[in-house]
Amino acid sequence: MAIYSRISGTGSALPARRLTNADLVHLLAARGLETSDEWIVERTGIRARHFVDDGVNASDLALQACEAALTAAGCPLSDIDLIVVATSTPDMVFPSTAAILQHKLTQSALARGEAGATGGAAFDVQAVCSGFIYALTVADALIKVGTARKALVVGAEVFSRILDFNDRTTCVLFGDGSGAVVLEACEHDGTGAGILATDVHADGKHTGILCVPGTVSGGQVLGDPTLKMDGQAVFKLAVGVLEDAARAVLAKAGKAASDLDWLVPHQANIRIMQGTARKLRLPMDRVVVTVDQHGNTSAASIPLALDQAVRAGQVKSGQLVMLEGVGGGFTWGAVLLRK
Ligand code: UT7
């Protein structure tokens, strides 16, 4: 019997403040910029997104998502020996959002009279919109080698903090949110629930097409700390590499695309999802789509979509599910699992 890691619970969190496309049309008009609901829906599929209020950080959204995932898994926080947070919008330069989250989870558990989580490993993974795929890959590997038994794997983002609201080509695309899963060790012969294959890649020569070029030095922000994207270049690369990653995990697990019950892709643009589904000959009714309501929440988008699909009764136990992501770096990857 080999050790596998399986998702035993999912959770997610969205900030209360919801902005429709019409709200953004007004916001941008006040800055002398023109956009429209028609343009945003037609080019991206996005109708609304959520933004945090001042003072709310990635770890606050992650806390809510993790507590929902722990409840769904029936897992006490004290069993957790690994926390991996995928984020490009951390609370601080350091320590990691994962370490901050561990403390917030513990404080919250203690307030309920339950034991906290201290002493396990906690760290962040930075792979922008592919971050959750990277985080899941790392947590799966740590469970398989016996370093961890029960992990919280989280995507948490406050992208509204790094948007340039004078750039209509990017600020209409992104939103804030968090999704989390409890990943736990289990033993079987390869026929049970669990992560069956992972595949992650990066190609740093594409750094410039999607980046936040600013950094902190000498007590000041050096360079521009807002998101820059060459949308068309990202779009073209995304469709190609997502197909490659999808085919790679299917081949590793000895499965065909037609075996898939669900594809849960990174939620950047409905047209990218349709392109991937077409290449895999997968009907769109097997693709989980939340981009219309969340926008692009970067590393949070896949676990957010997964949690919503699980809670809506779409993704069920025993089904074959593919998660896949692509983003700045350029990074991309996929995870194939039996729920
Ligand atoms: O999460 C990481 C991965 N990120 C992505 O996957 C994003 C990938 N890229 C995309 O999703 C698309 O390229 C965008 C949605 C960003 C842009 O769609 P597009 O079809 O590639 O549009 P475009 O950049 O070619 O722009 C078409 C036109 C331009 O006007 P002209 O030059 O044709 O007159 C833009 O100036 O649309 C204009 N435009 C807008 N118009 C109204 C750009 N942004 C807006 C806007 N409202 N917000």
Side-chain angles (χ1 to χ4, degrees), residues 28 34-36 39-40 42-44 46 128-130 159 167-174 210 229-236 238 266-272 296-298 301 326-328 330:
L28 295 197
E34 199 184 319
T35 190
S36 65
W39 190 94
I40 302 171
E42 189 186 309
R43 303 286 176 132
T44 71
I46 299 168
V128 202
C129 302
S130 313
F159 256 53
D167 176 8
R168 69 174 183 169
T169 68
T170 54
C171 74
V172 300
L173 305 176
F174 295 89
L210 178 49
M229 180 167 73
D230 176 346
Q232 286 195 6
V234 171
F235 194 105
K236 277 184 206 142
H266 170 48
Q267 309 283 317
N269 186 320
I270 187 70
R271 292 185 292 138
I272 296 178
N296 181 346
T297 58
S298 191
S301 91
V326 60
F330 211 66

Side-chain angles (χ1 to χ4, degrees), residues 12 14 85 89 97 107 124 173 181 192 196 202 212 280 284 332:
S12 61
L14 288 162
V85 175
T89 47
T97 302
Q107 294 296 103
D124 288 0
L173 305 176
V181 302
L196 305 178
V212 176
L280 297 177
M284 279 306 285
W332 65 96

